[in-house]
Amino acid sequence: MTDLILGVETSCDETAAAVVAGGKKICSNIIASQIDIHEKFGGVVPEIASRKHLEAVNFIIAQALAEAGCTFQDLAAIAVTHGPGLVGALLVGVNTAKTLAYALGKPLVAVNHVLAHVAANYLVHDIDFPAVCLVVSGGHTSLLYLQARGEAEFLGATRDDAAGEAFDKIARVLQLGYPGGPVIDKIAREGNPDAFPFPRAFSGQDDVFEFSFSGLKSAVINTIHNLQQKGKTVPVADVAAGFQAAVVDILVEKTCLAAKVKGTKNVLLAGGVAANSRLRVALEEALAKEERKLFLPPPALCTDNAAMVAAAGWDLYQRQEFAGLDLNAVPVLDIGSQK
Ligand code: KG4
Ligand code: ZN
């Protein structure tokens, strides 16, 4: 019996395919990023993303198999992200995976992108459950309670913007380019995080597991505009550091709160923003004070990739939760509607 899962990921601006053995061992992990194409527009253009996925997906899958040293026949199943994400982009992966499953007579498994981010941790760590997980990316900021691998309960999420979305927006206003997270992370190291007292929504509210970043976004943009209107130079590093500190502080506070309320010793961090150097250190330190342990993927597995899709797909495959050939892309897919 083979334990090889082919993962396919096309939910946003990365066309990715990977082969993972037993939900753990990465045999190949190929990513074609479209960042250079979307960069000049300051964000992802959905139509262009779909077209680029279509051009790349077959080649990326072929490369993933070649690098893993296996053929289509060797696969146990095909796992694909079917939501949440950009509908046109998701459809490319979903239809490719359905075609492969049908032609090969292999099972198809439909993976929730948010749970795929969580599963990036399973590629590098052995976790004792239950655990709490903070998923922070360009599209999501959610706290989950994990009873076991592949079993998640929703605790709370952002009411408006995702944390990564706020990073991208502020970087755009500061004219730092796209994506904003890595560049703000870098430039903030030279700034004073206390120079601007930006707001931390829901701080101190111990019954709230939610986030809100739109007020913070407005506060940062207003600060920049006020300085510009007065003819002053915008201290980019200080603004970036202050913004990043506000995001990180509230992410850390709410994650610690969730772990405390749920009584879990282990905490996971996942998603593109989990690559943020300040967040990684601050969360680990805050949890250590409460004798909790932080697990997090290496930065390359935090951002979108297909190895995490294959890892999450393995759990569904083992439970024989297969998708039919009527599988569709679901742009808004919450945790409750799909394990
Ligand atoms: O998980 P991901 O690749 O895609 C989504 O599912 O959204 O996350 C991309 C997001 C972008 O908003 C990007 O700016 C952010 O992750 N990001 C970071 C860092 N690296 C990527 N945010 C903060 N600090 C970073 N180092
Ligand atoms: Zn993602």
Side-chain angles (χ1 to χ4, degrees):
M1 260 291 280
T2 167
D3 63 355
L4 298 177
I5 306 282
L6 172 69
V8 178
E9 160 63 42
T10 63
S11 69
C12 190
D13 59 347
E14 262 99 24
T15 318
V19 176
V20 171
K24 179 94 194 159
K25 184 176 171 282
I26 301 176
C27 305
S28 64
N29 190 17
I30 312 293
I31 304 171
S33 175
Q34 304 175 0
I35 281 178
D36 51 343
I37 299 157
H38 298 290
E39 208 171 15
K40 50 180 167 293
F41 302 104
V44 178
V45 184
E47 269 304 309
I48 297 177
S50 317
R51 235 174 292 152
K52 291 290 158 192
H53 284 311
L54 203 52
E55 285 169 18
V57 72
N58 290 336
F59 295 101
I60 296 300
I61 290 173
Q63 211 178 323
L65 292 175
E67 206 162 283
C70 68
T71 67
F72 281 126
Q73 304 308 328
D74 298 326
L75 299 172
I78 323 285
V80 64
T81 303
H82 74 126
L86 302 169
V87 69
L90 287 163
L91 276 169
V92 176
V94 166
N95 283 314
T96 306
K98 286 203 296 192
T99 308
L100 283 175
Y102 178 64
L104 298 165
K106 304 270 181 191
L108 176 70
V109 284
V111 172
N112 180 314
H113 183 79
V114 175
L115 296 184
H117 274 299
V118 177
N121 277 287
Y122 309 151
L123 294 163
V124 283
H125 302 295
D126 291 314
I127 314 254
D128 284 331
F129 293 96
V132 156
C133 183
L134 171 69
V135 187
V136 257
S137 71
H140 322 279
T141 307
S142 307
L143 276 166
L144 307 176
Y145 175 68
L146 309 172
Q147 295 96 337
R149 199 177 146 144
E151 280 178 35
E153 181 192 314
F154 178 78
L155 294 177
T158 179
R159 286 197 192 173
D160 39 57
D161 300 334
E165 204 176 341
F167 268 96
D168 294 338
K169 177 71 187 185
I170 297 306
R172 193 153 125 190
V173 178
L174 290 172
Q175 297 182 316
L176 297 173
Y178 172 85
V183 60
I184 288 188
D185 190 345
K186 191 161 169 242
I187 214 160
R189 285 177 208 156
E190 288 141 38
N192 173 7
D194 302 319
F196 296 97
F198 293 130
R200 277 98 166 130
F202 306 129
S203 177
Q205 296 182 31
D206 284 358
D207 53 347
V208 180
F209 287 138
E210 289 176 297
F211 305 93
S212 167
F213 296 106
S214 70
L216 168 63
K217 207 173 70 178
S218 301
V220 177
I221 293 171
N222 288 342
T223 300
I224 296 166
H225 287 170
N226 279 339
L227 289 164
Q228 285 167 340
Q229 276 158 11
K230 288 178 190 150
K232 293 186 181 162
T233 314
V234 177
V236 175
D238 285 347
V239 172
F243 160 74
Q244 180 176 267
V247 175
V248 168
D249 282 357
I250 200 67
L251 291 175
V252 169
E253 180 183 324
K254 295 295 175 187
T255 308
C256 288
L257 176 68
K260 193 171 158 197
V261 170
K262 299 304 279 186
T264 66
K265 212 175 144 31
N266 292 332
V267 174
L268 277 56
L269 183 59
V273 182
N276 184 268
S277 57
R278 187 178 169 112
L279 175 61
R280 295 169 82 88
V281 173
L283 187 55
E284 179 153 37
E285 282 176 4
L287 289 166
K289 277 189 200 141
E290 299 172 358
E291 298 191 351
R292 293 183 224 281
K293 186 164 163 45
L294 178 67
F295 293 89
L296 71 190
L301 290 175
C302 288
T303 44
D304 286 351
N305 64 85
M308 67 185 196
V309 176
W314 170 252
D315 301 329
L316 294 162
Y317 172 74
Q318 286 219 302
R319 294 202 299 258
Q320 302 208 343
E321 288 182 30
F322 302 134
L325 291 175
D326 57 349
L327 180 70
N328 207 349
V330 189
V332 181
L333 178 66
D334 59 34
I335 300 297
S337 62
Q338 175 92 33
K339 266 190 173 177

